Amino acid sequence: MKIKKHITALATAAALSATLPAVAQQSQHMTPETMLSLARVGASALSPDGKTVVYSVGFPSIKDNKIRTELFTISSDGSARRQITQGVAGVHGARWIQQGRRISYISSESGAPQVWTMAPDGTDRRQVTNIEGGLSDYLFSPDEKQLAYIKEISFGKSTKEIYPDLPKATGRIITDLMYKHWDEWVETIPHIFIAPVGGEAITGGKDILEGEPYEAPTKPFGGAEELSWSPDGKTLAYSSRKKTGMEYSLSTNTDIYLYDLASGQTRNITEGMGGYDTHPRFSPDGKRISWISMERDGYEADLKRLFVQDLKTGQKTFLTDGFEYDVDELQWAANSQSLFFLSTKHAEAQLWEIALKGRKIRQITTGMHDYTSLDVQGGKILAGRQSYIEPTDLYLVDVKTGAAKQLTAENKSTLDGLAPISVEKRWVKTTDGGNMLVWVVLPPNFDKTKKYPALLFCQGGPQSPVSQFFSYRWNMRLMAEQGYIVIAPNRHGVPSFGKAWNEQISGDYSGQNIQDYLTAVDELKKEPWVDSERLGCVGASYGGYSVFYLAGVHQKRFKAFIAHAGIFNLEMQYMTTEEMWFANWDMGGAPWEKDNAVAQRTFANSPHKLVGNWDTPILVIHGERDYRILAGQGMAAFNAAKLRGIPAELLIYPDENHWILRPQNALLWQRTFFGWLDKYLK
């Protein structure tokens, strides 16, 4: 089955175009410089009366090697776009307060990040907090008389504390696991503080986890979305994994806690629920609380389920029982009778609603795109939306009909200057008889009478959908703009196609999912416009593992490989990564468990054992601050290729983590990426 769908440039009101900032150069083809200069729409909020939106926009500067963020407002009819900050340092986290009469936000203009407020037109800025060292996120209580904020506190003893006579010593004394996480040495942890709001700037508050050596919210990504105030402001719900060291590294058992402000007592309402429990949300009537729950401890890609608890009776309800798609971004309806959420089905992230009565689930939106956020007010949903073709902009969606009206068009002038490209959605039979959705992104001015080089995109995660995302690194449109056909399979081991499809990859990295990649390529090679002599293979993280593995088994299908932050030696990965729950679940166990058939199969299929079969040029990219997959993995792969006499190149970043975040480093990445592909495929 083959469905072809053309997605053209953004269309919006003519009144907007005159107010849009100039972004990058205009040309018929997108360049890395063009893409990396696009304005980036961030967090947004709809005013209580539903008439005005406040949102952030990041403006990258390759020359200055940074992204400047500003706040804007726009009417819900798409008119009256207005910039309300100008060069305010570190501005983010904008929210409506005082029934829409003011906007709160975080800014570093006084030094450390603090909470400020201002009038909706950007005037009358007032500093609300003056917390030593600053804060990372915040949430006002419904009556705005209390402020919950998140601040880092010291964790463990530093070398200087242990040996005061060695103030210049740089060594770290490590006694337990989880000493590093993502891209940092764990020397601080976040705690939640509550302080009364008054006339003076807040200088401190009550640490509601005082004396507890636990993160709340959970690192590395948790923020105020893991907090929820009860409507009466008497209770704060939060998520936390109350474990440390090796116990922390082995478990995903995060629970929902209710903190009572009057008594100072904390209650765990998800005791006995094994996996991640996150995103608590009190219902507007205060009678219930909802949250997202994973069933199994140690499995971070388990199905995200929606639970609701009656606060009076304590009864828990698995609201989405039978729904085999992940639930994200919860929000209650104003009448407390239903909830809105995001969910990705068949590699498209859409808006959904579920009713408490009858548990009927309704898909609100459709289309070849990803919705990325939601904010519901007065029968309308403010939502971010993106696709392979277009970066995020804001839309107002009718709750009943799903009709979407575009509000922002931050990159209209740039996108209008590009030739349109097209995306095909294909269903391909896998070798085990399954149906696999494969996205095919075609170059601008595609001519089916010509032959084009093609790239197989290998997804990371490993359990992340190959949906309609707009990435500033793995950008499908940018690859197509350089004259490549992009083949992006939703192979076994990704969500949005049911539980069984998602779970196939656990303990079987080299199994059906690898065959799916080869199937996708072999199917597309049948097209007369795909040049089978000019095929490349690219990917990051698990996708990098896939590249390293395919390099040993591809049987000369590919002419060039690129692996970013990939796993090369699975035994080394098991013993050097930080989140051991991930390694145990995905690999099936430890290398020394000789009676563990799943683990032994995993380690027997480590890519480093296939280097003897490598015969194709390979580019390896890695960041030295990547503590998930250490940079030594990339260096080892590069060294092995060079020692085998295979053309190879290594791009190593001393200051980047699992991603590449700085503008000039990102541009270096893209230039190196396409330079390598063009050398061997054009």
Side-chain angles (χ1 to χ4, degrees):
M1 178 179 176
K2 174 179 172 183
I3 302 173
K4 188 171 183 179
K5 188 170 184 178
H6 292 273
I7 305 178
T8 57
L10 292 171
T12 191
L16 272 177
S17 61
T19 65
L20 294 172
V23 182
Q25 63 187 42
Q26 292 192 23
S27 65
Q28 284 300 302
H29 297 290
M30 180 184 284
T31 66
E33 289 84 354
T34 305
M35 183 200 70
L36 291 170
S37 297
L38 291 174
R40 305 182 187 186
V41 174
S44 60
L46 188 59
S47 61
D49 63 7
K51 294 182 178 180
T52 310
V53 175
V54 60
Y55 65 103
S56 67
V57 182
F59 298 98
S61 170
I62 296 172
K63 178 181 178 181
D64 297 333
N65 202 30
K66 63 182 181 181
I67 299 175
R68 185 189 89 253
T69 300
E70 304 288 357
L71 297 180
F72 292 78
T73 58
I74 192 169
S75 296
S76 57
D77 63 2
S79 66
R81 177 183 180 275
R82 181 174 186 173
Q83 184 173 339
I84 60 172
T85 63
Q86 184 67 51
V88 176
V91 65
H92 67 282
R95 291 155 197 162
W96 294 96
I97 59 172
Q98 297 181 17
Q99 291 78 49
R101 294 191 299 273
R102 292 187 70 79
I103 294 170
S104 62
Y105 62 99
I106 293 177
S107 167
S108 303
E109 63 179 296
S110 63
Q114 305 290 349
V115 177
W116 291 67
T117 71
M118 62 181 167
D121 63 0
T123 62
D124 190 27
R125 296 207 304 269
R126 305 174 190 174
Q127 187 170 343
V128 175
T129 67
N130 190 18
I131 308 296
E132 183 178 359
L135 48 81
S136 60
D137 213 342
Y138 71 100
L139 190 65
F140 281 102
S141 61
D143 62 8
E144 298 173 7
K145 293 181 179 180
Q146 302 285 334
L147 178 72
Y149 64 89
I150 301 167
K151 173 181 167 58
E152 295 285 320
I153 66 167
S154 295
F155 176 78
K157 282 191 174 183
S158 68
T159 303
K160 293 177 184 178
E161 290 175 308
I162 299 171
Y163 297 109
D165 61 326
L166 301 176
K168 296 183 180 180
T170 59
R172 293 180 174 90
I173 300 172
I174 307 298
T175 60
D176 207 347
L177 296 187
M178 289 309 297
Y179 53 90
K180 58 180 173 61
H181 199 186
W182 200 252
D183 61 358
E184 66 171 335
W185 295 92
V186 181
E187 296 176 335
T188 64
I189 57 174
H191 268 200
I192 302 164
F193 293 75
I194 296 178
V197 178
E200 301 295 324
I202 297 169
T203 58
K206 178 178 175 55
D207 181 353
I208 68 173
L209 288 91
E210 187 172 3
E212 298 184 38
Y214 311 123
E215 301 172 354
T218 303
K219 283 190 172 182
F221 305 118
E225 75 283 351
E226 298 299 342
L227 311 180
S228 180
W229 284 100
S230 61
D232 61 10
K234 295 180 178 180
T235 306
L236 183 73
Y238 67 91
S239 66
S240 176
R241 178 169 46 229
K242 296 199 172 182
K243 302 177 186 296
T244 61
M246 186 166 68
E247 188 183 16
Y248 179 113
S249 78
L250 293 169
S251 175
T252 59
N253 188 10
T254 302
D255 284 308
I256 304 298
Y257 295 87
L258 302 184
Y259 175 78
D260 182 78
L261 271 67
S263 67
Q265 298 299 306
T266 300
R267 179 165 59 97
N268 182 354
I269 65 169
T270 56
E271 186 73 41
M273 299 182 73
Y276 277 117
D277 291 294
T278 61
H279 293 76
R281 297 289 182 269
F282 282 101
S283 60
D285 62 11
K287 295 180 179 180
R288 300 176 181 87
I289 187 170
S290 64
W291 68 94
I292 296 171
S293 177
M294 293 187 185
E295 182 178 7
R296 289 164 283 185
D297 190 8
Y299 184 20
E300 74 164 16
D302 206 352
L303 182 67
K304 295 180 183 178
R305 310 169 300 166
L306 173 56
F307 270 76
V308 172
Q309 183 182 69
D310 186 301
L311 291 169
K312 184 176 181 180
T313 66
Q315 181 180 354
K316 296 184 180 74
T317 301
F318 177 9
L319 207 60
T320 53
D321 193 6
F323 185 71
E324 292 196 3
Y325 308 100
D326 286 337
V327 172
D328 285 302
E329 299 286 332
L330 293 178
Q331 185 173 337
W332 283 89
N335 64 5
S336 298
Q337 297 305 304
S338 66
L339 292 106
F340 299 95
F341 61 94
L342 294 178
S343 186
T344 303
K345 180 178 180 180
H346 294 171
E348 295 169 348
Q350 306 292 351
L351 300 169
W352 301 70
E353 182 182 18
I354 183 168
L356 294 185
K357 186 177 180 179
R359 306 181 194 178
K360 182 179 179 181
I361 298 175
R362 180 174 68 95
Q363 184 173 339
I364 299 172
T365 58
T366 59
M368 195 181 287
H369 45 242
D370 278 3
Y371 281 97
T372 59
S373 62
L374 64 88
D375 184 11
V376 187
Q377 301 284 349
K380 299 288 186 181
I381 303 176
L382 173 67
R385 197 175 91 181
Q386 61 182 222
S387 71
Y388 284 160
I389 311 303
E390 300 159 349
T392 300
D393 267 305
L394 298 178
Y395 289 74
L396 205 62
V397 180
D398 185 279
V399 168
K400 292 184 179 180
T401 67
K405 177 182 180 180
Q406 186 173 344
L407 298 185
T408 66
E410 296 298 322
N411 295 291
K412 177 177 169 55
S413 59
T414 300
L415 296 176
D416 281 353
L418 301 174
I421 70 173
S422 58
V423 178
E424 291 185 358
K425 179 193 290 187
R426 295 191 173 204
W427 291 94
V428 175
K429 280 290 182 184
T430 58
T431 56
D432 67 346
N435 292 311
M436 174 173 58
L437 189 154
V438 179
W439 298 112
V440 182
V441 189
L442 301 173
N445 305 312
F446 174 70
D447 184 346
K448 64 182 179 180
T449 67
K450 296 181 179 179
K451 283 186 175 291
Y452 296 84
L455 303 176
L456 172 67
F457 171 74
C458 299
Q459 175 72 313
Q463 289 159 295
S464 301
V466 188
S467 59
Q468 282 288 312
F469 56 79
F470 190 94
S471 168
Y472 287 94
R473 181 167 43 127
W474 297 98
N475 190 284
M476 304 299 186
R477 176 169 190 161
L478 182 62
M479 291 184 236
E481 292 271 9
Q482 311 315 303
Y484 293 99
I485 291 169
V486 184
I487 305 166
N490 277 274
R491 41 90 180 146
H492 279 78
V494 301
S496 82
F497 298 91
K499 191 173 181 180
W501 187 277
N502 184 48
E503 297 193 353
Q504 178 279 323
I505 201 169
S506 298
D508 194 18
Y509 270 19
S510 59
Q512 183 62 49
N513 34 285
I514 292 293
Q515 292 303 311
D516 291 349
Y517 281 137
L518 297 176
T519 296
V521 167
D522 290 344
E523 183 68 20
L524 265 297
K525 280 167 56 178
K526 297 176 183 178
E527 295 290 357
W529 31 266
V530 172
D531 190 339
S532 61
E533 297 301 313
R534 294 188 292 160
L535 298 178
C537 178
V538 302
S541 199
Y542 170 78
Y545 163 93
S546 302
V547 169
F548 289 144
Y549 191 87
L550 286 166
V553 300
H554 70 110
Q555 297 179 329
K556 300 189 182 298
R557 284 177 174 85
F558 301 106
K559 294 299 187 291
F561 288 104
I562 300 178
H564 177 109
I567 303 171
F568 176 65
N569 184 324
L570 282 169
E571 290 191 12
M572 186 60 70
Q573 172 68 7
Y574 184 89
M575 289 178 277
T576 57
T577 195
E578 8 79 297
E579 296 179 350
M580 292 309 304
W581 68 77
F582 189 98
N584 280 331
W585 196 279
D586 275 33
M587 298 180 192
W592 50 82
E593 296 174 3
K594 299 304 181 183
D595 294 331
N596 183 333
V598 174
Q600 292 309 307
R601 179 182 63 191
T602 294
F603 297 110
N605 285 283
S606 179
H608 80 282
K609 295 186 176 182
L610 297 171
V611 170
N613 297 336
W614 284 17
D615 58 7
T616 303
I618 187 166
L619 166 65
V620 179
I621 310 173
H622 223 111
E624 291 189 79
R625 290 187 62 193
D626 186 348
Y627 300 153
R628 173 62 47 85
I629 301 174
L630 297 189
Q633 296 272 359
M635 295 178 192
F638 168 75
N639 289 2
K642 295 299 287 187
L643 290 168
R644 289 261 2 265
I646 294 166
E649 190 170 299
L650 174 67
L651 174 57
I652 192 82
Y653 291 96
D655 55 351
E656 297 285 3
N657 58 23
H658 205 58
W659 296 296
I660 306 301
L661 302 176
R662 294 165 177 81
Q664 290 194 15
N665 280 345
L667 182 54
L668 174 62
W669 192 97
Q670 297 289 351
R671 287 178 177 176
T672 307
F673 181 87
F674 288 114
W676 187 259
L677 294 176
D678 291 353
K679 180 178 181 179
Y680 292 101
L681 302 182
K682 289 185 176 180

